[in-house]
């Protein structure tokens, strides 16, 4: 007589196994060979497949004859972790930069340095336009006005100052215990 236990079948008795028919044995064997699972519940075999892991849940677990998806319980973040995340978000928002006259100027430290160098060069060379300008979206612009770059540099600086002020407000809320979840903060 064949036997089955969770994910095992045998022609010999199995610890914790149940006796099954030849037909059940053949079905279970075919099921296992196709990469599926055999479970035992209330003395009967159940042919099943492990369901996909759901977002925000642990790996599915077989309990009491069915699959369970336990939610992942994330530990509460410390104020230091929240502040670090706020800082990361501010820098990401800063890198996006600004759009001036339909052209995006990124705001990362490297991009601000490049704008500063371009403005300094233009002033030193006495030019009023760049013969070719590559924007932050990798688009090229011919005869690009220096005045636009100067204004964009100013706007990037203003945007950075605004974001730092907002960062300070969020951090103050964390320190006061008023803000405990920083996912989806508004940086606009």
């Amino acid at each position: 007589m064949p036997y089955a236990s969770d994910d095992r079948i045998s022609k010999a008795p199995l610890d914790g196994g149940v006796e099954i028919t030849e037909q059940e044995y053949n079905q279970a064997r075919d099921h296992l060979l196709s990469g599926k699972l055999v479970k035992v519940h209330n003395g009967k075999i159940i042919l099943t497949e492990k369901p996909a892991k759901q977002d925000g849940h642990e790996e599915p677990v077989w309990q009491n004859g069915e699959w369970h998806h336990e939610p992942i319980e994330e530990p509460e973040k410390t104020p230091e972790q929240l502040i670090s995340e706020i800082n990361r978000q501010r820098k990401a928002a800063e890198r996006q930069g600004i759009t001036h006259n339909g052209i995006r100027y990124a705001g990362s430290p490297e991009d601000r340095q490049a704008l500063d160098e371009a403005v300094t060069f233009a002033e030193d060379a006495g030019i009023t336009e760049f013969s070719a300008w590559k924007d932050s979206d990798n688009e090229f612009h011919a005869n690009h006005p220096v005045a636009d770059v100067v204004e964009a540099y100013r706007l990037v600086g203003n945007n950075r100052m605004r974001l730092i002020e907002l960062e300070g407000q969020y951090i103050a809320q964390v320190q006061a215990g008023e803000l405990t979840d920083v996912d989806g903060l508004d940086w606009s």
Side-chain angles (χ1 to χ4, degrees):
M1 197 69 166
Y3 295 84
S5 66
D6 282 352
D7 302 322
R8 294 180 59 204
I9 56 172
S10 174
K11 294 287 186 171
L14 292 170
D15 284 340
V18 296
E19 204 171 296
I20 59 174
T21 67
E22 281 294 328
Q23 181 181 1
E24 289 173 320
Y25 176 86
N26 291 334
Q27 289 174 333
R29 181 195 63 223
D30 292 345
H31 207 72
L32 287 169
L33 289 173
S34 69
K36 297 176 183 170
L37 304 173
V38 174
K39 299 294 182 185
V40 175
H41 180 67
N42 290 337
K44 299 199 183 301
I45 66 166
I46 299 171
L47 305 178
T48 185
E49 292 183 51
K50 186 174 183 178
K53 184 178 182 222
Q54 296 176 351
D55 286 343
H57 290 76
E58 301 283 351
E59 284 290 330
V61 176
W62 180 261
Q63 284 181 320
N64 300 322
E66 61 187 22
W67 290 102
H68 292 269
H69 299 268
E70 297 297 323
I72 295 173
E73 292 188 27
E74 302 222 4
E76 193 170 301
K77 292 182 179 175
T78 66
E80 292 79 17
Q81 290 171 316
L82 294 171
I83 290 169
S84 177
E85 175 60 17
I86 289 169
N87 182 263
R88 187 199 65 73
Q89 288 182 29
R90 190 262 307 158
K91 288 180 179 177
E94 191 175 301
R95 279 191 300 276
Q96 289 303 308
I98 58 96
T99 300
H100 177 63
N101 289 338
I103 297 175
R104 190 171 75 85
Y105 297 84
S108 71
E110 296 84 11
D111 291 306
R112 292 192 311 269
Q113 178 66 33
L115 286 172
D116 182 57
E117 290 172 4
V119 168
T120 300
F121 166 76
E123 288 172 356
D124 290 349
I127 61 173
T128 59
E129 64 183 22
F130 294 99
S131 58
W133 181 262
K134 183 178 177 184
D135 68 22
S136 296
D137 294 320
N138 292 320
E139 299 290 326
F140 289 90
H141 306 274
N143 304 318
H144 190 66
V146 170
D148 279 5
V149 177
V150 170
E151 180 62 10
Y153 185 42
R154 187 188 67 74
L155 292 171
V156 164
N158 284 343
N159 187 54
R160 182 169 193 265
M161 183 173 58
R162 180 189 64 79
L163 291 170
I164 289 172
E165 182 178 330
L166 195 53
E167 176 185 25
Q169 292 170 9
Y170 287 140
I171 289 173
Q173 291 174 21
V174 166
Q175 291 169 333
E178 300 165 359
L179 183 61
T180 58
D181 181 5
V182 298
D183 291 336
L185 292 177
D186 184 8
W187 295 95
S188 58

